[in-house]
Amino acid sequence: MSNSTQHTISKILRKTPNKTLSVSTRQAKQLHAHIVKTKGTLHSDNILVLSLYSNLNLLQHSLHLFNSLPSPPPPLAWSSIIKCYTSHSLLHLSFSSFNSMRSLSVPPNRHVFPSLLKASTLLKHHKLAHSLHACTVRLGLDSDLYIANALINTYAKFHNAGKVFDVFPKRGESGIDCVKKVFDMMPVRDVVSWNTVIAGFAQNGMYVEALDMVREMGKNGKLKPDSFTLSSILPIFAEHVDVNKGKEIHGYAVRNGFDGDVFIGSSLIDMYAKCNRLECSLRAFYILPRKDAISWNSIIAGCVQNGEFDRGLGFFRRMLKENVKPMAVSFSSVIPACAHLTALSLGRQLHGCIVRLGFDDNEFIASSLVDMYAKCGNIKMARYVFDRIDKRDMVAWTAIIMGCAMHGHALDAVSLFENMLEDGVRPCYVAFMAVLTACSHAGLVDEGWRYFNSMERDFGIAPGLEHYAAVADLLGRAGRLEEAYDFISNMRGVQPTGSVWSILLAACRAHKSVELAEKVLDKLLSVDSENMGAYVLMSNIYSAAQRWKDAARLRIHMRKKGLKKTPACSWIEVGNQVHTFMAGDKSHPYYDKINKALDVLLEQMEKEGYVIDTNQVLHDVDEELKRELLHNHSERLAIAYGIISTTAGTTIRVIKNIRVCADCHTAIKFITKIVGREITVRDNSRFHHFKNGSCSCGDYW
DNA sequence: GTAGGGTTAG
């Protein structure tokens, strides 16, 4: 045996005070061989090797050695094997070993309890944790530093679950109460004790207490916040969107050399991203000397949460390229990017990966898939994924309800909402947004009112801007304009914004009420004088009423204020390319073919009874020009391109940035019949599925 | 020998 190995052995056997004794697997095996050769398999030094194997997480080696020990193995051997089981997540084996140990009358030593407490925490098994706690009390070990630290961790993790099951030692005592009790009675506390309590407070939303503890910790002797402390409290500033406090912590981390720590790194990335400082997140990401899967997850999620969808996808690709194995979280972070980009084929590919990696039962992923399929126009697939979710939580329900709402399946949305209630899932703020949206898209006025009234009364959720907007939309579209006006004027808790008034303004346009529109516009401009949408809408209302002078006056006013209309734009994915069209856009290389196809279609449409609705052209121009303007609306160009560039029978999916115009809506119904294809158009509020001459919205939109 | 931290869905 070499000198260096001899040195290692003597170092190990001398029980060096160095706690993190680093021994390689090879060294441990050599030591084992040496001991077996010189002292035999039964010598007690083998137990030291077992603890080395256990620390190295070598389950097979540990087990093999453990089984070769004379019976009954001593306490140290048991604590080593139990630790190994726990760190391999073989939690039931941890407990069955503990039982065997006791049935062999081996007295449990202090070292078994932390591993067992950890196992009970991972199993979320409250009763086990309590009996372990009781056991340590009987043995007088409950204030042992390591055991108390483990107890604090266990109780902190059970805090929320404890309220539900009411299993804490004394009725009405929460997990955090137990945390405090254990912490208070400890004769000696170390930095781990403080960090565990701080993390417990932080993870349970007790931010004031967490930050107080950090200050207290500094005062109390020599303990200084370390990297563990910082990574526990950074999420507080992320949630509170307090970038200044977050920066202070960042500064402290830099001064103390923690800024390259992977844990702090991902907290910093997340904190800056949640504070809308994506550039700072990127900097924190790039300076990390070593990036793990969570660092990648954080930057991907950060990009996606800040609307940088392509960037988020780019980081996901780079993560794969650098051979970092994606985790379930990686997928639930990146799928929403596909949803927002309407990238159906990419979303499908990712779904494939998810299934292959066995992540398809993850509830976060499932909900994001439901939403992605719905937003990409495939409501059937959204429903398929939803139906296969084992445990449907509120987010999953909300995703499918919102999906149905967007696709105009209002009755499905309403009955799903009822099913959710029957399932005992409490609806939240967003769930009510979804069901109210469904009602407004289908004109279910009574149902909408019922839900609106029940949210505060039955569920204690105060209606927010989105709910008021949905009800205003519901009333407005149904033509109950005065009622909607009163409803908005009497909003409680929140002030009506320009966007809520615009909803009513749009309804005034649909129901041709110039008088109320003028009243609404006044209200709107008083809260949002720069709202260009309002000017456009009002000028369109005047135009539709042939009040060209008023319309022109508004447009001049807009121009003076430097407000510009959002240009209408539609796009379609053909092959792997996105083709974008503006109204009257002649820049597409196939423009001539597109135009010709539209001419042919128009001829056939008119034979079928289509009459152009030139009222939809809101300029004071002659009829011929009006025809041409409508003929060149962006959605028609995109659809025509889809027809000539894909094989017969392929569904055409078009997306438009603003609402589809009424004449185009009629025209597309004719087109779908003539070409025998399904056409899906997603505008900024919903999907229209055109098939065989009709639209899924039932012309109510 | 035994204890603590970061990321995710509507």
Side-chain angles (χ1 to χ4, degrees):
Chain A
M1 188 170 289
S2 72
N3 282 338
S4 68
T5 313
Q6 287 285 7
H7 180 69
T8 311
I9 295 168
S10 52
K11 211 167 128 194
I12 295 160
L13 296 182
R14 251 191 289 123
K15 280 198 177 182
T16 52
N18 180 9
K19 281 187 177 178
T20 50
L21 189 68
S22 79
V23 177
S24 71
T25 305
R26 191 174 55 89
Q27 285 172 315
K29 282 186 193 167
Q30 279 177 348
L31 177 61
H32 189 198
H34 177 75
I35 291 168
V36 169
K37 206 162 124 191
T38 56
K39 302 176 178 168
T41 49
L42 301 180
H43 191 273
S44 64
D45 276 359
N46 283 297
I47 294 154
L48 290 172
V49 178
L50 171 56
S51 69
L52 286 179
Y53 281 158
S54 157
N55 266 345
L56 289 162
N57 250 331
L58 300 168
L59 180 63
Q60 290 307 324
H61 289 82
S62 303
L63 256 180
H64 190 250
L65 212 163
F66 182 83
N67 289 331
S68 73
L69 293 175
S71 185
L76 176 57
W78 288 101
S79 59
S80 299
I81 201 72
I82 288 172
K83 181 190 171 257
C84 213
Y85 279 141
T86 300
S87 49
H88 276 84
S89 298
L90 298 165
L91 310 174
H92 292 286
L93 293 175
S94 300
F95 285 104
S96 62
S97 299
F98 184 55
N99 288 334
S100 316
M101 173 182 179
R102 295 214 291 184
S103 62
L104 290 165
S105 302
V106 178
N109 66 359
R110 60 184 61 210
H111 307 301
V112 284
F113 290 104
S115 304
L116 292 170
L117 283 166
K118 188 174 190 173
S120 69
T121 310
L122 293 171
L123 284 169
K124 299 187 173 72
H125 201 313
H126 309 78
K127 279 188 181 164
L128 264 176
H130 290 305
S131 56
L132 288 167
H133 188 178
C135 202
T136 61
V137 171
R138 278 197 303 276
L139 293 164
L141 293 172
D142 57 324
S143 49
D144 173 271
L145 180 61
Y146 285 78
I147 293 175
N149 286 347
L151 280 169
I152 291 172
N153 182 43
T154 303
Y155 282 124
K157 297 265 155 61
F158 285 171
H159 178 61
N160 286 322
K163 278 185 189 149
V164 179
F165 298 108
D166 196 24
V167 291
F168 284 98
K170 282 183 194 157
R171 256 177 186 279
E173 205 165 48
S174 75
I176 285 294
D177 292 333
C178 297
V179 166
K180 286 180 188 155
K181 269 192 177 174
V182 175
F183 183 80
D184 287 340
M185 60 145 227
M186 289 173 78
V188 183
R189 306 183 187 99
D190 66 356
V191 69
V192 177
S193 325
W194 286 89
N195 284 342
T196 315
V197 175
I198 290 165
F201 282 143
Q203 285 159 3
N204 289 298
M206 302 165 70
Y207 299 143
V208 177
E209 290 88 339
L211 295 174
D212 279 348
M213 286 295 273
V214 177
R215 274 178 225 116
E216 192 73 15
M217 166 186 192
K219 273 191 242 161
N220 234 310
K222 294 162 285 179
L223 299 179
K224 269 185 68 182
D226 66 1
S227 66
F228 282 80
T229 327
L230 303 190
S231 52
S232 299
I233 59 169
L234 274 170
I236 297 176
F237 306 122
E239 189 171 321
H240 285 216
V241 195
D242 188 344
V243 75
N244 291 324
K245 287 270 169 47
K247 272 187 174 165
E248 270 178 48
I249 304 294
H250 190 179
Y252 180 92
V254 172
R255 285 194 300 280
N256 291 277
F258 298 139
D259 53 330
D261 181 287
V262 265
F263 282 81
I264 294 191
S266 38
S267 297
L268 284 172
I269 294 166
D270 182 53
M271 184 273 294
Y272 282 122
K274 295 227 164 79
C275 295
N276 309 308
R277 302 288 181 91
L278 188 60
E279 294 311 316
C280 296
S281 299
L282 291 163
R283 230 171 292 143
F285 177 78
Y286 286 121
I287 63 143
L288 285 179
R290 186 180 70 83
K291 298 168 182 64
D292 66 4
I294 299 185
S295 324
W296 287 98
N297 293 347
S298 305
I299 196 66
I300 293 166
C303 290
V304 177
Q305 287 160 357
N306 279 280
E308 295 277 336
F309 306 120
D310 284 314
R311 231 168 174 177
L313 285 165
F315 277 115
F316 183 79
R317 285 198 193 90
R318 278 172 55 190
M319 176 185 187
L320 299 184
K321 229 179 176 176
E322 303 206 359
N323 283 323
V324 179
K325 218 179 134 204
M327 301 163 56
V329 177
S330 322
F331 289 97
S332 45
S333 303
V334 81
I335 294 284
C338 302
H340 285 284
L341 294 170
T342 356
L344 181 58
S345 48
L346 185 56
R348 276 201 194 111
Q349 283 177 43
L350 288 169
H351 190 183
C353 294
I354 287 163
V355 172
R356 279 195 298 281
L357 290 166
F359 289 150
D360 44 340
D361 58 352
N362 178 293
E363 53 186 315
F364 285 82
I365 292 180
S367 302
S368 67
L369 284 173
V370 170
D371 183 57
M372 184 273 292
Y373 280 117
K375 289 215 171 85
C376 290
N378 197 335
I379 187 67
K380 273 188 190 154
M381 195 58 193
R383 187 60 193 258
Y384 178 90
V385 174
F386 175 80
D387 285 340
R388 275 152 193 77
I389 301 177
D390 249 358
K391 222 182 89 231
R392 295 171 192 142
D393 65 2
M394 193 233 315
V395 178
W397 283 102
T398 305
I400 192 66
I401 293 167
M402 193 61 110
C404 289
M406 279 192 298
H407 287 269
H409 301 179
L411 295 176
D412 286 348
V414 167
S415 72
L416 281 161
F417 190 85
E418 293 300 324
N419 293 341
M420 175 177 81
L421 298 181
E422 284 159 21
D423 247 27
V425 175
R426 266 183 86 83
C428 68
Y429 191 95
V430 190
F432 276 105
M433 274 167 58
V435 75
L436 288 173
T437 304
C439 293
S440 85
H441 282 329
L444 303 175
V445 182
D446 296 338
E447 288 83 348
W449 263 125
R450 195 162 53 78
Y451 287 124
F452 182 80
N453 289 325
S454 87
M455 56 185 286
E456 187 149 26
R457 188 188 60 222
D458 302 333
F459 300 96
I461 301 168
L465 216 47
E466 296 93 337
H467 307 102
Y468 282 113
V471 175
D473 191 41
L474 181 60
L475 295 171
R477 279 191 222 225
R480 294 156 71 159
L481 300 177
E482 292 291 340
E483 217 177 313
Y485 183 84
D486 291 338
F487 177 75
I488 299 175
S489 304
N490 295 315
M491 277 168 58
R492 282 181 300 113
V494 269
Q495 287 298 312
T497 58
S499 61
V500 175
W501 285 115
S502 325
I503 289 167
L504 183 52
L505 198 57
C508 290
R509 182 192 160 184
H511 293 279
K512 301 189 168 52
S513 173
V514 186
E515 210 174 302
L516 186 64
E518 287 176 328
K519 236 168 103 184
V520 171
L521 183 71
D522 272 350
K523 288 275 193 184
L524 199 162
L525 294 178
S526 72
V527 292
D528 185 2
S529 62
E530 304 282 290
N531 191 319
M532 58 179 171
Y535 286 103
V536 175
L537 257 176
M538 194 67 220
S539 117
N540 289 350
I541 291 168
Y542 282 136
S543 306
Q546 320 244 314
R547 286 170 57 171
W548 308 113
K549 273 187 189 157
D550 288 315
R553 179 173 53 81
L554 271 185
R555 288 190 188 268
I556 290 165
H557 188 66
M558 272 172 73
R559 218 167 296 140
K560 272 190 189 157
K561 289 197 98 171
L563 301 175
K564 272 188 192 150
K565 198 175 160 181
T566 316
C569 155
S570 298
W571 60 98
I572 182 169
E573 205 180 307
V574 174
N576 272 328
Q577 231 196 321
V578 175
H579 299 257
T580 309
F581 299 88
M582 315 286 279
D585 190 352
K586 295 182 179 166
S587 64
H588 194 277
Y590 286 177
Y591 177 74
D592 288 338
K593 285 182 183 167
I594 292 167
N595 206 29
K596 205 162 172 214
L598 282 173
D599 281 340
V600 175
L601 275 173
L602 187 59
E603 204 175 300
Q604 280 177 281
M605 280 154 64
E606 285 178 333
K607 267 187 209 154
E608 298 268 339
Y610 165 74
V611 180
I612 196 161
D613 177 8
T614 48
N615 280 330
Q616 297 298 320
V617 177
L618 303 158
H619 301 284
D620 188 14
V621 292
D622 65 46
E623 285 294 304
E624 192 48 43
L625 188 54
K626 281 183 179 182
R627 287 173 68 89
E628 196 183 318
L629 286 171
L630 282 176
H631 200 49
N632 279 299
H633 268 182
S634 64
E635 55 269 54
R636 294 206 201 183
L637 298 175
I639 289 169
Y641 178 68
I643 293 170
I644 60 175
S645 60
T646 57
T647 51
T650 314
T651 298
I652 292 168
R653 299 174 202 276
V654 168
I655 303 160
K656 191 182 179 193
N657 65 340
I658 58 173
R659 282 186 59 180
V660 186
C661 102
D663 182 64
C664 287
H665 194 265
T666 310
I668 300 165
K669 287 196 282 185
F670 280 97
I671 295 172
T672 183
K673 199 171 172 188
I674 293 164
V675 299
R677 297 229 210 171
E678 288 183 37
I679 300 173
T680 299
V681 180
R682 196 195 82 183
D683 65 14
N684 57 349
S685 74
R686 63 171 300 156
F687 279 93
H688 295 268
H689 293 281
F690 296 92
K691 191 179 172 182
N692 200 24
S694 62
C695 176
S696 62
C697 74
D699 301 338
Y700 188 93
W701 51 287

